[in-house]
Amino acid sequence: MDTLQQLLEFLGTFAFAISGIRHAAAKHFDWFGGYVCGIAVAIGGGTIRDVMLSTTPFWMTSPFYMICTAAALLFVILFARHLERLHNTWFVFDTFGLALFTIAGLQKSLLYGQPFWVAIIMGCITGAAGGVIRDVLLNNEPVIFRREIYAIAAVLGGVLYWGLYTLGVAQEITIAASFLLIVAIRFLAVRYHISLPTLKE
């Protein structure tokens, strides 16, 4: 479980870091500003989760997460032109980061003995809070407050994980199914402009 947990967090860190750096590039930040934005979105949600679980934040246990963000920055710098040709590349990485970190947050909460309803909330916080921090740094409206489906996708992915776990489905299948559901919900919601109803005054 520890190895799988680390793998999910490493992949989530890389995906979220690229997302944050791409957003920073759109605002014409310099390399250092891009790195700061990348690291903020990559570790923000997991840090909040770990503080709430009364454990050492995951990025303080290994320098790999900082190195991973630096690798993401280098990746964006080297392949900037290719990324520009791919429309909504940042959206793809952001969605992958959301799915990976949601599952990582959920699993870590279960490891710490939290009930499933708490684990689902922790998964949502791990996946979505980093994006909120990124948007605040970039002076953008936080994505969870927009009409597009974001945090709800994380919650539904967590509920599916819960259901498959309860049924005794293999962990690999449970993780893969939850990941695919979150990604599919995000992609379909954006593709077909699916959103929650807005509040009326």
Side-chain angles (χ1 to χ4, degrees), residues 53-137:
L53 291 175
S54 299
T55 186
T56 302
F58 70 103
W59 59 270
M60 296 176 66
T61 62
S62 170
F64 186 88
Y65 299 98
M66 299 298 176
I67 297 172
C68 185
T69 302
L73 175 63
L74 183 62
F75 177 84
V76 172
I77 292 172
L78 293 177
F79 299 102
R81 293 183 179 179
H82 299 286
L83 292 174
E84 287 177 0
R85 296 171 187 169
L86 301 174
H87 296 295
N88 296 325
T89 303
W90 66 266
F91 167 76
V92 174
F93 283 110
D94 187 61
T95 299
F96 286 173
L98 173 68
L100 289 165
F101 266 14
T102 295
I103 297 170
L106 192 152
Q107 289 195 144
K108 189 166 188 177
S109 299
L110 292 176
L111 282 174
Y112 277 76
Q114 299 297 326
F116 241 110
W117 65 273
V118 173
I120 291 173
I121 295 173
M122 288 294 190
C124 184
I125 290 173
T126 308
V132 174
I133 296 172
R134 173 201 65 209
D135 291 336
V136 170
L137 289 175

Side-chain angles (χ1 to χ4, degrees), residues 7 35 43 47 52 54 59 74 77 107 122 127 141 161 181:
L7 178 61
Y35 181 84
I43 71 173
T47 299
M52 295 178 73
S54 299
W59 59 270
L74 183 62
I77 292 172
Q107 289 195 144
M122 288 294 190
E141 180 184 10
Y161 189 106
L181 178 63

Side-chain angles (χ1 to χ4, degrees), residues 137-159:
L137 289 175
L138 295 174
N139 198 30
N140 293 331
E141 180 184 10
V143 66
I144 64 170
F145 297 147
R146 301 174 199 163
R147 292 185 62 190
E148 65 180 79
I149 303 296
Y150 192 77
I152 293 298
V155 172
L156 294 177
V159 171

